[in-house]
Each structure stands twice: as C-alpha cells, then as structure tokens.
Amino acid sequence: MVVTPGSATKFIVCSALGLIIFFVTITINGKSTIPLDHLTNWVQSVLGSSQKYIVLLAIAAGAVLPFVKGTWNRSRQDRIFSFCKLIGLLCAAMFVFGWGPAELHTNKNLFPFLFTVLCSSLCFLIPIAAVFLSFLTDYGLMEFVAIFYNRLCGKFGKHRDVRPLMRSLLL
C-alpha cells in the first residue's frame, strides 16, 4: 500500500478527531466530560421541549416497523419483542401526553427516569456517536493499533498474533 501525503493527513486528522471526541475529557460551563456528551447535551438543549416528541416519534417508528415489514411474526422471540415495543410506545405516549395515574409521572424512578434519562439521552447519543465512530474505524486507526500491537507482542511476548491473546483473555 502506498502512503500519500493526503492519506497520511487524513489518517492523522480523522483519527485524532475520533480519539478526542470519545476519549479526551474537556470542561465546558463547569461540566467535565467527553466532547460527545457535550455535543449530545447541546443538541438536546437546542431542541428544548420538542425533544420529547422526537423521542416519541423514534419509539413509535421502532414499535410499528416490525408490523409494517411483517417481521413481527417470524419467531416467538420476535412476537415477544414486538409486543414489548408496543407496551413501550404506550408508556412513552402516556408520559408525553400526561395520561395515566399521577404516580407514574411523579415518581422519579418510573416514567421520568425511563423517558428523560434513558430514552431521551440514548435517542440523541447513539446517532451522534455513530457519525463520529467512523473516525475511529474507517481511517486506519484500528488497523494501525492492531499491527503495532502484533509487532509489540512479537518482540516482547510469546504471542505473534492478537487472536490467541484475545482468546486467552476471553476464556
């Protein structure tokens, strides 16, 4: 493989950006966390109160899609998960529109936790992280680390390949 100045620059810049986004802690407005979390919190703050409708729409899409595609009835497991998704959609709609018993809405361990902490955070974190994950996987950083690690293990250890070491660590 020929290394050109453009490919080397792309490797260095994109890999550095990926490492910074996922692994470097920075402080903004007194909150110290990784840039991915800062970006997710910023998107949520920009969306404001409309984010709960976006989350409800994502939940609805996930609950209805198996029935639209006809995959809900493939196996017993698919039927169970599809039924649970419908229950999740019902619970999300109850929270967003204020339906149901007051205990579900006021107890911080029930709807407020499930919807605000889990669903809202993950609904925005996963797509944003997916965009930046390509900076770690698609520009050669993983291959570079694997080759470097293989050479390091070959010189200082008995393993010449990562696979036997990984098998021994996983077993």
Side-chain angles (χ1 to χ4, degrees):
M1 180 169 118
V2 177
V3 178
T4 63
S7 64
T9 303
K10 191 186 304 184
F11 165 73
I12 292 168
V13 170
C14 292
S15 297
L17 181 61
L19 289 171
I20 290 168
I21 291 292
F22 283 98
F23 298 110
V24 176
T25 303
I26 60 172
T27 302
I28 298 177
N29 294 332
K31 185 177 179 186
S32 182
T33 186
I34 60 173
L36 178 64
D37 191 34
H38 286 301
L39 185 59
T40 303
N41 291 334
W42 176 77
V43 168
Q44 287 179 307
S45 68
V46 166
L47 291 173
S49 62
S50 67
Q51 74 175 338
K52 65 182 179 182
Y53 299 107
I54 295 169
V55 173
L56 180 61
L57 185 66
I59 292 171
V64 172
L65 197 60
F67 295 99
V68 171
K69 292 172 72 175
T71 59
W72 70 275
N73 205 12
R74 285 188 306 200
S75 67
R76 187 173 134 194
Q77 178 180 337
D78 286 327
R79 287 189 292 277
I80 291 169
F81 275 116
S82 296
F83 179 70
C84 289
K85 289 176 186 180
L86 290 176
I87 292 172
L89 175 59
L90 176 66
C91 290
M94 287 173 66
F95 178 74
V96 169
F97 299 116
W99 302 334
E103 174 67 20
L104 294 175
H105 299 280
T106 57
N107 186 339
K108 292 183 179 187
N109 294 324
L110 296 176
F111 282 173
F113 172 76
L114 290 172
F115 196 83
T116 308
V117 176
L118 288 179
C119 294
S120 292
S121 297
L122 293 176
C123 184
F124 297 105
L125 176 70
I126 291 171
I128 294 170
V131 170
F132 288 106
L133 188 61
S134 66
F135 288 104
L136 292 176
T137 60
D138 293 351
Y139 294 99
L141 180 64
M142 290 177 62
E143 291 82 5
F144 174 77
V145 170
I147 291 168
F148 180 74
Y149 187 74
N150 278 335
R151 289 184 181 166
L152 185 70
C153 286
K155 288 183 180 181
F156 298 109
K158 62 180 182 177
H159 299 290
R160 294 211 174 270
D161 191 9
V162 173
R163 289 172 293 202
L165 180 62
M166 293 309 287
R167 278 191 219 114
S168 67
L169 290 174
L170 294 174
L171 296 176

